[in-house]
Amino acid sequence: MKKFTFLIPVFNDWDSLNILLKRIDQEISSFEDIFDIVVLNDGSTIKHSIKNKNFKKINLIKILNLKKNLGSQRALAIGLKYLSIFEKETNIILMDADGEDDPNLLKKIIDSSKRFPNKIITANRTKRNENLIFRFMYEIHYLFTLLITGKKVRFGNYSLINSNKLKKILSSGDLWGAYPAAIVNNYNDIEPLFSERKKRDTGKTKMNLFKLLFHSLRIISVFKKRVYFASIIYILFFILIYFIYSNILFLLSIFLIMFFNTIIFTISINNKKEYLDNYFKFIENIDTIH
């Protein structure tokens, strides 16, 4: 029998969370393991409400109420730090609350974690359900990240990591930047599963093109050393081409690369391990619901 702890960030999306909890309880019904839920209340302006308190398999629900809205990535960083201290041996399943992370995949994730106990299980996206423009821009984000860092980041929060592997990821500020990038930057033992990204259960998505751009930059900032190295190579290449063709476009390209690196450096300054070390300062209180 093993212990599993779901880590779910929420900002005002309590209706979707209630639907998700019910579906989680159904999906894990065939397992004999222990299942807890830790909800990260990311500074919600709507009071939390867990409607069902008679789950069949969910053993315990805790709500970590954060003092202010930090965004899902930093809320997850705080949640992982909290679990690293208070849950010494558990398999942590990270999910979004909106229903886009398909609960039907949970059985495969749990089974895979038992087959590959030393690996991180990720749910890689095969298809998205946003509008065409957003899907196109997401692919641009993915390809550009691959081009500038040499790393594939094809999954989001939906994944499983054992608590005994957290020490490495918590030893730097990577996690404060973006969880998926931190995983890819620190581990090679990743077992991917593949799943379509579903539509939200209720309400409208909070993600837009501006937030996607900023999220993309934060992911890239985690790989800043790789970005700097790749940028030097590109700059040397454009300098060489400029001397051959004397085209001002190549000088403009060099300027854009330098400007991009300045942005990445500025964002990466906030990726501090100190925030994780002082995680308790972000927590208002903890409620036990079930």
Side-chain angles (χ1 to χ4, degrees):
M1 181 179 294
K2 293 190 174 184
K3 175 78 176 291
F4 292 85
T5 303
F6 287 85
L7 193 60
I8 308 172
V10 178
F11 176 71
N12 289 339
D13 218 353
W14 302 107
D15 288 340
S16 293
L17 176 65
N18 278 290
I19 294 172
L20 177 63
L21 292 178
K22 183 178 179 181
R23 295 189 64 191
I24 288 174
D25 197 54
Q26 293 171 345
E27 291 298 323
I28 62 177
S29 61
S30 61
F31 293 98
E32 297 298 326
D33 306 282
I34 300 171
F35 295 92
D36 287 350
I37 305 282
V38 174
V39 176
L40 300 161
N41 179 10
D42 189 20
S44 294
T45 57
I46 300 173
K47 184 176 175 57
H48 65 70
S49 173
I50 306 298
K51 296 177 181 178
N52 188 346
K53 299 183 181 179
N54 296 304
F55 296 105
K56 294 180 180 179
K57 287 296 298 182
I58 294 174
N59 175 58
L60 178 72
I61 298 177
K62 285 185 178 181
I63 298 182
L64 271 62
N65 297 297
L66 305 187
K67 293 180 179 179
K68 61 180 181 179
N69 179 249
L70 297 173
S72 65
Q73 298 303 298
R74 290 173 177 176
L76 285 171
I78 291 170
L80 289 171
K81 179 66 176 184
Y82 171 83
L83 290 176
S84 73
I85 296 172
F86 294 100
E87 291 285 352
K88 297 300 184 182
E89 186 56 48
T90 187
N91 295 285
I92 304 165
I93 301 176
L94 297 85
M95 294 184 74
D96 291 332
D98 53 20
E100 293 184 6
D101 291 338
D102 189 3
N104 290 331
L105 191 64
L106 282 174
K107 290 180 181 179
K108 287 185 179 180
I109 290 175
I110 294 169
D111 286 338
S112 294
S113 73
K114 293 179 179 181
R115 287 202 309 275
F116 308 105
N118 295 319
K119 289 193 174 185
I120 297 168
I121 313 299
T122 61
N124 292 29
R125 296 157 180 170
T126 58
K127 181 182 177 182
R128 303 183 68 94
N129 286 288
E130 296 91 349
N131 61 61
L132 181 61
I133 294 176
F134 188 93
R135 294 202 305 270
F136 175 75
M137 294 307 297
Y138 182 84
E139 292 303 319
I140 294 296
H141 142 72
Y142 167 73
L143 292 172
F144 181 74
T145 302
L146 177 61
L147 179 67
I148 200 69
T149 68
K151 291 288 188 176
K152 294 181 179 180
V153 185
R154 198 64 178 177
F155 61 95
N157 298 332
Y158 200 10
S159 58
L160 180 148
I161 181 171
N162 190 279
S163 57
N164 62 24
K165 298 180 75 69
L166 291 178
K167 183 177 180 179
K168 184 176 183 180
I169 201 174
L170 292 170
S171 65
S172 71
D174 289 355
L175 199 55
W176 201 251
Y179 168 77
I183 292 294
V184 173
N185 198 38
N186 287 277
Y187 303 100
N188 294 317
D189 48 349
I190 299 173
E191 180 70 19
L193 299 177
F194 299 91
S195 174
E196 176 183 338
R197 189 165 176 83
K198 299 296 183 179
K199 293 182 179 180
R200 288 178 58 89
D201 287 323
T202 63
K204 295 181 179 180
T205 181
K206 299 179 181 68
M207 180 62 78
N208 54 41
L209 292 179
F210 175 77
K211 289 183 178 180
L212 175 63
L213 173 62
F214 187 64
H215 180 62
S216 177
L217 291 173
R218 283 176 59 177
I219 285 177
I220 293 172
S221 74
V222 173
F223 305 104
K224 63 180 181 180
K225 292 181 180 179
R226 285 176 166 268
V227 173
Y228 299 156
F229 178 78
S231 296
I232 291 172
I233 301 299
Y234 287 130
I235 287 173
L236 292 175
F237 172 75
F238 283 125
I239 289 174
L240 177 63
I241 297 298
Y242 174 74
F243 282 132
I244 295 174
Y245 296 102
S246 299
N247 191 318
I248 195 172
L249 289 177
F250 296 116
L251 287 180
L252 178 61
S253 298
I254 294 171
F255 171 78
L256 290 174
I257 292 173
M258 294 176 66
F259 179 69
F260 175 74
N261 275 266
T262 302
I263 294 174
I264 294 303
F265 175 76
T266 302
I267 293 174
S268 69
I269 290 175
N270 287 318
N271 298 343
K272 296 180 180 178
K273 179 177 177 291
E274 288 80 5
Y275 292 131
L276 295 172
D277 293 338
N278 299 307
Y279 77 99
F280 53 88
K281 291 184 178 180
F282 296 99
I283 300 175
E284 183 74 38
N285 53 55
I286 300 175
D287 295 328
T288 301
I289 304 297
H290 179 73

